Amino acid sequence: MESSAPLWRQSMLPLAIAAALALMPLFMSDYLQDLVLRIVIYAIFALSLELLVGMTGLVSLGHAAFFGIAAYVTVLGSPEYEAGSVATLLPLAMLAAGAYALAVGALSLRTKGIYFIMVTLAFAQLAYFVFHDTKLGGGSDGIFLNVRPVLAIAGQAIADLGSGRQMYYFSVAALVLGYIFLALVRRSRFGHALAGIRVNEQRMRAAGFNTYFYKLAAFVIAALLAGLAGFLMAAKNGGVNPEFLSWHESGAVLMMIILGGLGSLRGAVLGAIAFVLLKEFFSSAALLGRLADHWQLTLGLTMIFFVALLPDGLIGAGRRIAGLARKGEAK
C-alpha cells in the first residue's frame, strides 16, 4: 500500500525520477536512450496492471492482449507510405484495447480467483491466435510500420515519433500523465471503492456498492492504459508481432509489479526498471558470455531470490531502510 505521508512528500520521488528522465538524453548514447525508452513504456504497462492487481485485487494473466491489440491497431491504422496522425491513431488504439476489455471483463468478472485468471488467459490466447494465424496480423512475423506517426496541431508537426529524441520525450510525458492519473484515481471515491473491494468485496456489496460495475470500470481503464503502452511500443519498434499478446508478456508485466511491490504506483515503476535492467544484464553476451543464452533461467532464479527475500518488493525494502535510518537518527 502507498504511504500515508503527505502528498508533497509522496510526490518527491516521482518528481525526481521525472526530472532525471527529462535530462537523461543530454548525456546518454543512442543505445542507453533506447533502453530507457523501453523502461518508460514498460513502466506505463506495469502501472496499468497495478490498477487491476494492486488496487482492485484482480490478478490477470491476459493483460498483454490489450497491449498487443493496441499495437496492431496502430500499425494497421497507419497509412502505408506516409505518417499517420497520433491524434487519430492513439485514441483508436486505446479504444480498441478498451472495447476488447469491455467484452472480456463483462464475461470474466462473473468468475473469481483461479477461474478469473484462467478466463483472462484464455481470452488473451484467443486474441493471440487471431493475429498469429491470419493474414490480418502477418502471421508469426507480424507487420511493420513504414513511417512513424506524427503529432500535428493546425498542420504544424510538434512531435515526430520517427525521431528518437521526440519519441523519448513523448513517452516520458505519457508516463508522467499516466502516473498522475492513477494517483488521482487512488485518492478518489472510485479508488477508495476499489480498495474496499480488494479488502472485502462482500462487505462492499452489503454497503450498497455495485462491485461488478466498479471492477469492470477498473478492468477497462487498465486496458486503456495498456493500450497507450502498446501504441508507444509499436511506434518505437516500427512494427508488431504476436508475441506482444503472448502469456509470456502478461507474466513479465505481472513479475514487474510483484518485484516492485504490490499496492504501490512507485513500486510498479521501480519494478519495471529493475525487470528490464535485469533482463538486459542476463541476456548480454558481452557481460556473461555463453550464460547469456540461458537468460530465462538466470532471470527466473533471480526473481525467486527477490520474492523470497523481499516479500513486499523493492518499495517495501526501501521503506524498511528508511525506517531503520529514522530510528538511528532518533537514537
Side-chain angles (χ1 to χ4, degrees):
M1 297 296 294
E2 296 282 11
S3 170
S4 58
L7 181 60
W8 66 268
R9 185 176 296 175
Q10 293 185 44
S11 303
M12 289 177 64
L13 179 59
L15 288 174
I17 292 175
L21 287 172
L23 294 173
M24 277 182 178
L26 302 177
F27 311 100
M28 292 188 301
S29 64
D30 291 342
Y31 164 77
L32 287 177
Q33 180 174 299
D34 183 79
L35 177 62
V36 175
L37 175 57
R38 199 170 358 130
I39 290 172
V40 167
I41 295 172
Y42 273 117
I44 298 172
F45 194 18
L47 284 170
S48 71
L49 188 59
E50 171 61 28
L51 172 61
L52 273 188
V53 181
M55 293 174 62
T56 317
L58 297 172
V59 180
S60 170
L61 261 183
H63 203 58
F66 315 123
F67 179 76
I69 286 172
Y72 268 101
V73 169
T74 300
V75 179
L76 290 170
S78 297
E80 190 171 359
Y81 297 115
E82 61 184 58
S85 170
V86 171
T88 300
L89 292 173
L90 178 55
L92 186 63
M94 293 177 67
L95 286 173
Y100 190 63
L102 183 62
V104 172
L107 296 173
S108 61
L109 287 170
R110 299 184 184 280
T111 63
K112 293 182 179 180
I114 188 66
Y115 301 104
F116 174 78
I117 295 173
M118 297 311 296
V119 170
T120 55
L121 175 60
F123 274 109
Q125 288 301 101
L126 173 65
Y128 172 87
F129 284 112
V130 166
F131 289 106
H132 184 276
D133 294 349
T134 65
K135 294 181 179 179
L136 175 69
S140 60
D141 293 331
I143 51 179
F144 300 95
L145 188 63
N146 294 323
V147 185
R148 305 298 203 280
V150 172
L151 177 62
I153 297 180
Q156 182 68 35
I158 60 173
D160 180 1
L161 302 191
S163 163
R165 185 68 59 87
Q166 293 183 44
M167 175 70 197
Y168 176 89
Y169 281 117
F170 185 87
S171 301
V172 169
L175 172 60
V176 171
L177 291 175
Y179 188 97
I180 292 172
F181 170 73
L182 287 180
L184 293 175
V185 166
R186 180 183 288 277
R187 289 176 170 268
S188 69
R189 183 178 184 274
F190 176 72
H192 289 307
L194 294 182
I197 291 170
R198 186 191 69 249
V199 174
N200 193 323
E201 183 177 354
Q202 186 174 356
R203 183 176 295 175
M204 292 296 290
R205 283 200 300 267
F209 286 86
N210 184 344
T211 58
Y212 177 83
F213 168 79
Y214 278 96
K215 291 190 295 182
L216 182 59
F219 198 83
V220 173
I221 293 171
L224 291 171
L225 288 173
L228 170 59
F231 166 84
L232 294 173
M233 189 62 80
K236 171 191 173 296
N237 291 348
V240 59
N241 63 69
E243 290 305 308
F244 279 44
L245 300 97
S246 70
W247 67 269
H248 304 88
E249 201 73 23
S250 294
V253 72
L254 185 58
M255 283 194 285
M256 289 177 199
I257 62 174
I258 293 173
L259 179 60
L262 290 176
S264 169
L265 299 179
R266 289 173 292 171
V269 175
L270 289 175
I273 294 171
F275 185 87
V276 174
L277 290 179
L278 285 170
K279 183 177 177 181
E280 191 72 12
F281 173 75
F282 287 125
S283 61
S284 173
L287 294 174
L288 298 180
R290 291 185 178 180
L291 186 60
D293 295 335
H294 309 286
W295 65 266
Q296 294 97 332
L297 173 62
T298 50
L299 179 61
L301 291 173
T302 303
M303 288 298 300
I304 293 171
F305 174 80
F306 270 109
V307 171
L309 293 184
L310 303 173
D312 297 326
L314 295 173
I315 199 72
R319 291 191 190 118
R320 285 199 294 272
I321 293 171
L324 291 173
R326 284 194 295 268
K327 288 181 180 179
E329 291 175 358
K331 291 179 180 179

